Amino acid sequence: MLVDFNTLPDSSRVWIYQASRTFNESELKEINASLDTFIQNWTAHGNDLNAGYEIQYNRFIVIALDQSSQSATGCSIDASVHFIQQLEKKYGVELLDKMNVSYKQGEFVAYKNLIDFKTMAKQKAISKNTVVFNNLVATKGEYKTHWEVPASESWHARFL
């Protein structure tokens, strides 16, 4: 069941998918409609899942699931991954590659593969104060407080 992302409890599980590029307005409209349909029909063992989503910076798809009434199952998680794979194919973007890093350069969101990010850190092109996106957060509460943070406060710190 699709619910407003903002009404989901902080204990809700989150999945963050970062796109390899920014989506344009037309794509965003289509993606929002596709997410609405997917989440409205998303179930676990025939039971509705209370979930919502938001898209940040026109490139991060964040899905949250309130597991207090019904938890995700292997099949429901597989369904969500298949859905994201369909978006990848339709829009020619990477959404599932966890070996890429996004960070802020001013108001611009940059996207690099991990090797390039490490090189930039060694060259001091990235500092402990560079704002990075920690897509490994597990709950909506963590997402709100530890997703967009200085590199020194994230797993990215190991490269600095």
Side-chain angles (χ1 to χ4, degrees):
M1 178 170 62
L2 177 63
V3 298
D4 183 337
F5 183 89
N6 295 315
T7 65
L8 291 165
D10 285 350
S11 59
S12 297
R13 183 172 177 183
V14 293
W15 293 270
I16 301 172
Y17 303 99
Q18 71 180 0
S20 51
R21 64 168 175 81
T22 302
F23 294 113
N24 65 44
E25 289 303 314
S26 172
E27 290 171 329
L28 286 169
K29 285 180 185 175
E30 292 176 7
I31 291 167
N32 278 297
S34 294
L35 279 160
D36 286 351
T37 300
F38 171 74
I39 292 176
Q40 284 170 352
N41 296 300
W42 197 21
T43 61
H45 297 300
N47 297 315
D48 286 340
L49 294 172
N50 290 334
Y53 72 91
E54 65 180 15
I55 300 176
Q56 292 284 351
Y57 297 102
N58 297 340
R59 77 183 312 149
F60 296 93
I61 298 172
V62 183
I63 298 175
L65 169 64
D66 178 2
Q67 297 194 108
S68 62
S69 58
Q70 177 65 52
S71 294
T73 61
C75 290
S76 61
I77 292 170
D78 285 351
S80 68
V81 170
H82 284 51
F83 169 76
I84 295 297
Q85 288 172 325
Q86 290 172 346
L87 293 179
E88 283 184 318
K89 193 175 200 176
K90 181 173 183 177
Y91 297 103
V93 298
E94 292 179 17
L95 290 163
L96 293 167
D97 191 340
K98 301 295 185 194
M99 296 306 293
N100 295 313
V101 177
S102 290
Y103 60 95
K104 278 190 168 180
Q105 288 184 317
E107 290 304 308
F108 176 74
V109 175
Y111 178 88
K112 299 283 182 192
N113 68 45
L114 191 56
I115 293 169
D116 289 345
F117 184 82
K118 287 180 188 178
T119 300
M120 291 177 72
K122 285 180 185 173
Q123 296 171 343
K124 306 288 187 214
I126 295 168
S127 76
K128 64 180 181 164
N129 297 319
T130 300
V131 175
V132 295
F133 297 92
N134 179 7
N135 298 322
L136 301 179
V137 295
T139 66
K140 184 180 167 199
E142 289 176 358
Y143 165 69
K144 289 176 7 185
T145 59
H146 293 96
W147 175 59
E148 192 173 337
V149 294
S152 61
E153 297 176 23
S154 176
W155 62 269
H156 303 82
R158 71 182 89 171
F159 305 121
L160 304 173

